[in-house]
Amino acid sequence: MNKRVTIADVARTAGVSMMTVSRVVNDSGPVSESTRQRVLLAVGELGYRPSGLARGLATRRTATIGLVVPDVANPFFAGVAKGVEQIAYAEGYNVFLGNTGEDPEHELTLLQSLEEKRVDGLILCSSRLPEADLRQALQWHGATVLVNRQLEGFGAVLVDDQRGAIALVEHLLSGGRRRIGMLAGPETSHSCRLRLLGYDSVLQEAGMQRRQGWMLRCAPDVAGGRQGAINLLQAYPELDALLCFNDLVAVGALQAAAELGRSVPDDLAITGFDDIPLAALMTPPLTTCSVPVFDLGDQAMRLLLEQIGGCDEGCERIVLAPELVIRGSAP
Amino acid sequence: MNKRVTIADVARTAGVSMMTVSRVVNDSGPVSESTRQRVLLAVGELGYRPSGLARGLATRRTATIGLVVPDVANPFFAGVAKGVEQIAYAEGYNVFLGNTGEDPEHELTLLQSLEEKRVDGLILCSSRLPEADLRQALQWHGATVLVNRQLEGFGAVLVDDQRGAIALVEHLLSGGRRRIGMLAGPETSHSCRLRLLGYDSVLQEAGMQRRQGWMLRCAPDVAGGRQGAINLLQAYPELDALLCFNDLVAVGALQAAAELGRSVPDDLAITGFDDIPLAALMTPPLTTCSVPVFDLGDQAMRLLLEQIGGCDEGCERIVLAPELVIRGSAP
DNA sequence: TAAGATGGTGTTAGCGCTAACACCGATCAA
DNA sequence: TTGATCGGTGTTAGCGCTAACACCATCTTA
């Protein structure tokens, strides 16, 4: 690994000034065809690769955005990431994908290091930070868009979680279920709060307040769902339906039900949320609420681009509608 | 968004030189306790965040490594990523996760942009690039470790794919299957080549050459597996087993089998590879070959650290053993 | 007491790049 | 003719940070 080739080396080789090389490389400003060729030749010969660090320092742009998610292994976020990337790459931006592992502390350090990298923008999915910490962490960032979370003054792309939960619970009620438990997600999850709200409101309206204890929180993944369902079903065997925070949790619940000898859907109905690809593949396939994940990412990136563009219009709030998907786990 | 706070602002506020601020912020060199406090106060007051760009330019280190995978949504790579991240964060490195979407061209531009970002190291998983392109793309990179792919002169962490495939095929044979088809992955996949080799070698030894056409390539995901299986099974209904490139393909095949009215495992055995979490959750659960994904990432990062450390010992090749996992889809 | 070591601080000179302007000859309109 | 305009090129001055050294008090040690 010899010393890196710099723009000065190229300039010397091609017999022009550094500025001219810069013009050729970035296609900015006029350069005669013959010098352009000479420069490109030198670039190829030497294997010159401009330093993004130096360029970023000089231009105050890095052509990079940060995308922070709680769990890359969750297909939900993988979908969002695809949406973001598609637009980003088309616009010449790189995407720096960061994984917090559902850990707020890690989320904080990640946000900090993205700030030090001087990313041009930030998309933050389902932040698990308390509001005060979140606001503090974002105050020095430039363009920022939140996904699945809102915060006064920031652009956001959201799902109408409450409506989704309402649809699911109403569906369960119409299927004759009366003792509906809920496996909720993290307390700091904005989506979870809204889904709980929806759940409660339907029960209230039907004149059947939620029984104390029928709601249990668990980690928003398969293992968490399994353990949560076991705990919940052993404590309250009378439950005839489980409204799960998301599909992964529902998959865990499905597993737990099998282990406990409860048959789904006859004996116990189970619903998820998100409609990840896996949902349709389970036995029985999951009744869930489909969320347009790709659009979430896509819209978030568009909003971010507006903010970066500076037209100050990127702070709106976009709400996407989820859609009830009825399958075998709760027909 | 006011002008950014720089080290000079902090120095002025604290009444010291920039160098002293730098010493405090990086904890390098001696500083008296009283000035340290004064500087930290100023840092907090102004909300100073050092510029990684400027620092990287000055130190020639970015404390960042690049991790390139073909598909973040594949739990296999999510597992590898977790392994990499754990070690990386412990050692103070950030991980820049890049997704090629199985597209070689995108892979090239990604590698290029990582080079421009001057990452300190690169972990490249299951590269889909032809050998010549790959070598060319890596020649200017510093420390590099490959996962699931080998290339003369580069450190690599591999799975003994051939042995894994052999174990699977022998298991199928011992279960009485005689007409074993294969749903293979991309031609450029190193793992795929080895698994094919294993498959052929067992058949050869058993004196039963693979029938022309019993091998079909498909995209290495659920949709690809489903379509591939439909094509293969319609062309060769006599097949009594399907050796799938990976678990996602096997899941697709499972779907296809159901659609075509073939019962698994009675009528048709199906095997996967990787043992992603989903594999155990299918109905029937997948017989597969378990790969220690977390270790793959973990070892790759260790190797990379050795290379970065410069002890020149990071170019070994580490081969991890897969393990046959027998479940319902091929008992 | 002179010669060194040590802790604490500042100065200088880049790292590799580009914004902004300056310059020069050629072309063009009035 | 004069001045304006424009394509093509170079010069200067940073962007924000740190390596390397210089400096000056103290404090050792023989």
Side-chain angles (χ1 to χ4, degrees):
Chain A
M1 202 178 26
N2 335 331
K3 228 167 142 287
R4 285 217 89 99
V5 179
T6 76
I7 202 172
D9 301 324
V10 178
R12 203 173 317 113
T13 305
V16 297
S17 73
M18 299 194 324
M19 207 48 225
T20 300
V21 176
S22 172
R23 287 197 183 94
V24 172
V25 170
N26 300 301
D27 202 18
S28 61
V31 180
S32 78
E33 194 47 34
S34 67
T35 31
R36 152 172 273 105
Q37 291 306 331
R38 223 158 4 111
V39 170
L40 288 178
L41 196 71
V43 166
E45 237 171 53
L46 302 177
Y48 169 66
R49 233 6 125 226
S51 158
L53 299 179
R55 179 184 284 165
L57 195 57
T59 60
R60 297 139 170 288
R61 290 194 60 242
T62 52
T64 302
I65 68 133
L67 172 59
V68 175
V69 302
D71 179 14
V72 268
N74 184 336
F76 177 84
F77 297 114
V80 174
K82 276 195 182 150
V84 170
E85 282 176 349
Q86 167 149 327
I87 308 290
Y89 287 126
E91 296 286 327
Y93 282 90
N94 279 108
V95 178
F96 196 143
L97 179 52
N99 189 192
T100 71
E102 301 276 358
D103 174 7
E105 207 149 322
H106 193 166
E107 186 175 338
L108 271 177
T109 62
L110 205 50
L111 289 176
Q112 177 170 331
S113 79
L114 286 173
E115 192 183 337
E116 294 187 358
K117 298 221 149 46
R118 298 294 190 260
V119 292
D120 293 336
L122 177 66
I123 296 180
L124 178 53
C125 291
S126 307
S127 169
R128 304 301 191 213
L129 292 174
E131 184 154 332
D133 291 5
L134 181 58
R135 195 172 284 284
Q136 161 121 33
L138 296 182
Q139 74 175 324
W140 296 107
H141 268 284
T144 305
V145 171
L146 302 176
V147 172
N148 255 359
R149 168 106 186 212
Q150 42 182 327
L151 190 66
E152 187 64 29
F154 288 87
V157 184
L158 305 163
V159 173
D160 194 338
D161 291 289
Q162 194 166 355
R163 176 177 303 277
I166 289 173
L168 283 167
V169 177
E170 282 179 344
H171 172 70
L172 287 172
L173 287 176
S174 79
R177 314 288 171 167
R178 285 300 174 268
R179 294 180 299 281
I180 304 174
M182 173 156 187
L183 271 178
E187 249 176 299
T188 47
S189 162
H190 184 251
S191 318
C192 183
R193 238 187 331 265
L194 291 177
R195 290 175 198 172
L196 254 168
L197 226 60
Y199 164 74
D200 279 339
S201 75
V202 176
L203 293 191
Q204 197 114 30
E205 232 169 76
M208 36 191 300
Q209 199 135 12
R210 182 221 315 170
R211 193 81 58 86
Q212 191 72 9
W214 281 7
M215 190 274 278
L216 186 69
R217 292 187 187 281
C218 64
D221 50 33
V222 175
R226 180 177 158 276
Q227 195 53 57
I230 289 178
N231 294 343
L232 198 57
L233 290 173
Q234 281 182 336
Y236 305 95
E238 70 269 26
L239 291 176
D240 60 8
L242 240 39
L243 186 76
C244 298
F245 171 58
N246 67 16
D247 288 343
L248 295 180
V249 169
V251 168
L254 229 38
Q255 244 189 306
E259 287 171 32
L260 297 174
R262 308 282 303 255
S263 93
V264 178
D266 301 336
D267 186 20
L268 179 74
I270 290 182
T271 65
F273 211 109
D274 292 348
D275 196 22
I276 62 179
L278 168 57
L281 303 174
M282 297 305 299
T283 321
L286 275 178
T287 287
T288 186
C289 214
S290 163
V291 172
V293 281
F294 188 89
D295 293 348
L296 271 181
D298 176 303
Q299 298 279 6
M301 189 64 210
R302 282 182 207 282
L303 227 50
L304 193 68
L305 285 171
E306 284 182 29
Q307 279 187 45
I308 293 174
C311 52
D312 238 21
E313 300 305 328
C315 289
E316 338 158 31
R317 199 174 341 138
I318 296 178
V319 180
L320 302 181
E323 196 180 329
L324 185 62
V325 178
I326 298 171
R327 299 205 187 94
S329 75
Chain B
M1 202 176 29
N2 334 333
K3 229 168 139 287
R4 284 217 91 99
V5 179
T6 76
I7 202 172
D9 302 323
V10 178
R12 202 172 319 113
T13 306
V16 296
S17 74
M18 298 193 326
M19 206 48 223
T20 300
V21 177
S22 173
R23 286 195 183 99
V24 172
V25 170
N26 300 302
D27 203 18
S28 62
V31 180
S32 79
E33 194 47 33
S34 68
T35 29
R36 154 172 272 107
Q37 291 307 332
R38 227 164 354 119
V39 169
L40 288 178
L41 194 74
V43 166
E45 237 170 53
L46 302 177
Y48 169 65
R49 230 13 118 224
S51 158
L53 299 178
R55 178 184 284 164
L57 195 56
T59 60
R60 297 137 169 288
R61 292 194 58 241
T62 51
T64 301
I65 69 134
L67 172 59
V68 175
V69 302
D71 179 14
V72 269
N74 184 336
F76 178 86
F77 297 114
V80 175
K82 277 197 180 148
V84 170
E85 282 178 349
Q86 167 149 328
I87 307 290
Y89 287 127
E91 296 285 328
Y93 282 90
N94 279 109
V95 178
F96 197 144
L97 180 51
N99 189 193
T100 70
E102 302 276 356
D103 173 6
E105 207 149 322
H106 193 165
E107 186 175 338
L108 271 177
T109 62
L110 206 49
L111 289 176
Q112 177 170 331
S113 81
L114 286 172
E115 191 184 338
E116 295 187 356
K117 298 223 148 46
R118 299 294 191 258
V119 291
D120 293 336
L122 177 67
I123 296 180
L124 178 52
C125 291
S126 309
S127 170
R128 305 300 192 215
L129 293 174
E131 183 152 333
D133 291 4
L134 181 57
R135 195 173 284 283
Q136 160 121 34
L138 295 183
Q139 75 174 323
W140 296 105
H141 267 284
T144 305
V145 170
L146 302 175
V147 171
N148 256 358
R149 168 105 186 212
Q150 42 182 327
L151 190 66
E152 186 65 29
F154 288 88
V157 184
L158 304 163
V159 173
D160 194 338
D161 291 288
Q162 193 166 356
R163 175 177 303 276
I166 289 173
L168 283 167
V169 177
E170 283 179 344
H171 172 68
L172 287 172
L173 286 176
S174 79
R177 314 289 171 167
R178 285 298 174 269
R179 295 179 299 280
I180 305 175
M182 174 156 186
L183 271 179
E187 247 174 302
T188 47
S189 162
H190 183 252
S191 319
C192 184
R193 235 183 338 261
L194 290 177
R195 291 174 199 172
L196 253 168
L197 226 61
Y199 165 73
D200 279 338
S201 75
V202 176
L203 292 191
Q204 196 113 29
E205 234 171 75
M208 37 191 301
Q209 199 134 11
R210 182 220 315 167
R211 194 82 59 86
Q212 191 71 8
W214 283 7
M215 190 275 278
L216 186 70
R217 294 189 185 278
C218 65
D221 51 33
V222 175
R226 179 177 158 276
Q227 194 53 55
I230 290 177
N231 294 344
L232 199 58
L233 290 173
Q234 281 182 338
Y236 305 94
E238 69 270 26
L239 292 174
D240 60 8
L242 239 41
L243 186 76
C244 298
F245 170 59
N246 67 17
D247 288 342
L248 294 180
V249 170
V251 168
L254 229 38
Q255 243 189 306
E259 287 171 31
L260 296 174
R262 307 281 303 253
S263 94
V264 178
D266 301 336
D267 187 20
L268 178 75
I270 290 182
T271 65
F273 211 110
D274 292 349
D275 196 22
I276 61 178
L278 168 57
L281 303 174
M282 298 304 301
T283 320
L286 274 179
T287 287
T288 185
C289 214
S290 164
V291 172
V293 282
F294 188 89
D295 293 348
L296 271 180
D298 176 303
Q299 300 277 7
M301 189 63 210
R302 282 180 207 283
L303 227 50
L304 192 68
L305 285 172
E306 283 182 29
Q307 279 188 44
I308 293 174
C311 52
D312 238 20
E313 299 305 330
C315 289
E316 337 158 33
R317 197 170 348 134
I318 296 178
V319 180
L320 302 181
E323 197 180 329
L324 185 63
V325 178
I326 299 171
R327 299 205 186 93
S329 75

